[in-house]
Amino acid sequence: MTKVYAVFGGLVLAALTWVHLTGWSPSNVTEEKGIPKSVRDNPGSYRSTYGTRPYTGAK
Amino acid sequence: MALKPPPPPSVTALACRNCGAPLEIRAPGRSVVVACGACGAVLDAQDPQYAIIARYETKNVVAPAIPLGIRGRLKGEPWQVIGYQVRRTKIAEATYSWLEYLLHNPAQGFRWLVESNGHWTLAKTAAGVPSTVAEREAEYLGERYRHFQTAKAETAYVVGEFPWIVKAGDTAVVDDFVHPPLTLTRERTDQDTTWSVGEYLTGDAVWKAFTLPGAPPAAVGVGPAQPSPYSPRSRTMVLMLAAFVTAAVLIHLVFSMLSQQRLVLDQAWEFNPNASATATAMTEPFVLGGRTSNVLAEISTTVAQSWAYFTLTLVDAETDASRTFGREVSYYFGRDSDGAWTEGVPWDRAWLPSVPAGRYVLIVEPEGPQAFNYRVRLTRDVPRPLFVWLAIGVLCLPPIVFWWRKARFELLRWSESDHPMSGQSSSSDDDE
């Protein structure tokens, strides 16, 4: 197990180095204009929290 | 002068006084009784006439997996199997049995080779009397043993010779203490108390020692004294995890120090949905230098109680190759019965991955229901801390699996004891 972990850890560190070196990223940088206009115009309807206060219901 | 090997021990052959079956005494002078496996008679091995001193009913003749009389080498010493007994105990209406082989060596004396569920222990009489702490621990030769189980053991079957008077039906209270791979056993009868210390063996080691044909009985579960394959590696895993996490942080710090982090564009515009001239903005050419690396795009706006969407296109001025991406900014705030609230932020940031070096222009196409000012900044080669956290998380996975398996191994070991780790109290715990 320790030998396997040594190889695994080495691969993770190599991947981290490669990511830093090339600036590669697996995620898509584009944000879709997916938020419905009704939500944009009524943002409180999908707020899940109110800062540190407990949620007491939608507006 | 070369020493001559000692002559093999003499063997005395005799016939059972009860049934006439052939018997052998392989440790003459040391054996006190010899038990006939055919009829259950126990003969006095030290009586010239081999008088019968006990007799019990044998319903079945048991054939030991390791034949009596066979010789083998365990722990570097030669041993001969001279006796065999089956013992059993009843726990919660279930009967459990185990096998005990008596080994003899003229110079070393006697040893017990105990097999239970495919797990083996080579035991000998303890050199001293161990001390016990509230019956939950025993200490012997500086090692602490944890109490594993207490059971009333009954001898169900005997065959061969023994250095004490043994017969089927004998009972004793057996307390097992473990300190893997060692085990400490106390046997109490009305007459005396004996302690023995044993060491775990695998079935393969026993089979190899006696050059037995076939395979040993398969081990079931985890033996009480079975050494954990995980314990010796725990420290190594901790050290490796620490080394890998340190290395990951160092890699990030080195790249943070060596990366360009150069601001290549910082430009501000305004947007008005009613002015078509502000619908598109384009920068002057700028240079992204160095190796292929990321570009951090930051957008800050004056958007309030509204949203804005930006379509940004990075165009290589030499090749016209382009990459387009969209970002949204929304910022709302207010006050209601719960107090003040905000939602979103008037700014945004995104990393463009793997952008080759070259001369570029940026085309910005904003959208939104209201007018706002905005500013775009591009910074070349900015290390992302996210990947360090991801790497640390991934590096923690194998140790988590390792420690889970280690805990499960111990859980299985103690599940058969009087002190299971599952939180259930055993009968002996309840008695305390």
Side-chain angles (χ1 to χ4, degrees):
Chain A
M1 179 101 184
T2 50
K3 288 180 182 174
V4 173
Y5 184 44
V7 173
F8 177 80
L11 289 175
V12 170
L13 293 179
L16 179 65
T17 305
W18 181 77
V19 164
H20 272 82
L21 201 61
T22 63
W24 180 84
S25 173
S27 58
N28 186 358
V29 74
T30 291
E31 283 182 343
E32 296 295 330
K33 285 193 284 187
I35 301 174
K37 191 173 186 301
S38 60
V39 175
R40 287 179 178 154
D41 294 343
N42 187 16
S45 65
Y46 72 102
R47 280 187 291 127
S48 58
T49 60
Y50 287 77
T52 57
R53 293 169 179 270
Y55 177 69
T56 55
K59 287 176 71 179
Chain B
M1 188 177 77
L3 292 174
K4 290 177 65 177
S10 59
V11 175
T12 304
L14 65 147
C16 175
R17 299 279 291 176
N18 187 49
C19 69
L23 298 175
E24 288 181 339
I25 297 179
R26 300 177 178 90
R30 282 186 163 172
S31 295
V32 174
V33 297
V34 57
C36 175
C39 68
V42 178
L43 313 183
D44 185 345
Q46 295 184 335
D47 178 8
Q49 302 302 315
Y50 304 112
I52 297 173
I53 57 175
R55 187 181 290 143
Y56 64 95
E57 293 291 327
T58 53
K59 294 177 181 173
N60 298 301
V61 175
V62 178
I66 305 176
L68 296 189
I70 197 170
R71 294 171 190 273
R73 183 173 283 272
L74 277 171
K75 300 289 178 187
E77 298 288 345
W79 298 98
Q80 184 178 27
V81 182
I82 64 169
Y84 169 78
Q85 64 174 335
V86 179
R87 304 182 82 186
R88 64 188 174 201
T89 187
K90 189 174 278 188
I91 298 174
E93 302 303 317
T95 301
Y96 301 90
S97 61
W98 65 95
L99 317 173
E100 297 183 356
Y101 295 87
L102 182 62
L103 311 182
H104 177 249
N105 173 306
Q108 302 292 326
F110 296 99
R111 297 288 186 273
W112 284 107
L113 186 59
V114 183
E115 188 257 313
S116 177
N117 284 333
H119 300 281
W120 297 78
T121 306
L122 181 65
K124 64 179 179 181
T125 303
V129 178
S131 58
T132 57
V133 181
E135 297 298 314
R136 299 296 294 263
E137 272 190 359
E139 187 169 341
Y140 176 67
L141 298 181
E143 299 284 3
R144 284 183 174 269
Y145 295 71
R146 284 179 63 191
H147 179 258
F148 189 82
Q149 196 171 55
T150 294
K152 186 176 181 182
E154 178 189 7
T155 302
Y157 178 84
V158 290
V159 62
E161 57 200 280
F162 296 87
W164 72 92
I165 298 173
V166 61
K167 61 183 185 299
D170 284 349
T171 59
V173 177
V174 180
D175 305 292
D176 287 322
F177 299 82
V178 296
H179 176 73
L182 304 177
T183 179
L184 199 58
T185 302
R186 177 176 62 187
E187 292 210 17
R188 290 175 288 172
T189 65
D190 293 338
Q191 289 75 39
D192 55 12
T193 297
T194 57
W195 287 87
S196 59
V197 59
E199 184 173 358
Y200 183 86
L201 295 174
T202 63
D204 287 334
V206 173
W207 249 238
K208 187 177 177 184
F210 290 99
T211 57
L212 295 168
V220 178
V222 175
Q226 184 176 353
S228 169
Y230 305 105
S231 292
R233 301 191 182 110
S234 293
R235 183 175 160 78
T236 307
M237 288 298 283
V238 171
L239 293 176
M240 289 176 77
L241 175 61
F244 284 142
V245 169
T246 304
V249 172
L250 281 177
I251 287 170
H252 180 71
L253 290 177
V254 167
F255 275 98
S256 296
M257 287 188 291
L258 299 182
S259 59
Q260 299 179 42
Q261 301 188 53
R262 179 182 298 166
L263 184 67
V264 294
L265 175 71
D266 186 355
Q267 201 161 343
W269 295 276
E270 62 181 43
F271 170 74
N272 188 329
N274 300 317
S276 59
T278 62
T280 301
M282 193 169 101
T283 68
E284 292 296 316
F286 55 88
V287 175
L288 296 177
R291 68 182 192 284
T292 296
S293 60
N294 63 19
V295 173
L296 173 62
E298 295 171 287
I299 304 170
S300 55
T301 71
T302 58
V303 166
Q305 306 290 28
S306 185
W307 59 271
Y309 189 86
F310 296 87
T311 302
L312 302 102
T313 304
L314 190 64
V315 183
D316 188 325
E318 310 292 337
T319 65
D320 284 343
S322 66
R323 64 174 70 195
T324 300
F325 60 100
R327 305 297 297 179
E328 186 168 86
V329 171
S330 65
Y331 181 51
Y332 300 90
F333 52 87
R335 176 176 288 275
D336 59 15
S337 57
D338 295 319
W341 60 269
T342 62
E343 186 168 290
V345 287
W347 53 270
D348 179 66
R349 59 164 46 185
W351 273 266
L352 303 180
S354 303
V355 182
R359 292 180 74 243
Y360 289 86
V361 293
L362 182 70
I363 301 170
V364 186
E365 297 166 278
E367 297 172 55
Q370 298 174 6
F372 57 85
N373 296 329
Y374 64 98
R375 182 178 182 182
V376 176
R377 290 159 56 97
L378 296 182
T379 308
R380 176 64 158 168
D381 192 13
V382 181
R384 294 187 69 178
L386 169 69
F387 292 121
V388 182
W389 292 113
L390 283 176
I392 290 173
V394 171
L395 287 169
C396 286
L397 291 178
I400 289 172
V401 171
F402 175 85
W403 281 308
W404 177 79
R405 292 174 71 177
K406 182 185 174 190
R408 182 169 166 73
F409 187 90
E410 293 302 325
L411 196 71
L412 284 173
R413 179 202 307 283
W414 290 95
S415 65
E416 295 296 322
S417 76
D418 290 345
H419 318 285
M421 297 170 76
S422 59
Q424 297 172 340
S425 296
S426 67
S427 56
S428 63
D429 284 339
D430 296 340
D431 294 338
E432 290 176 2

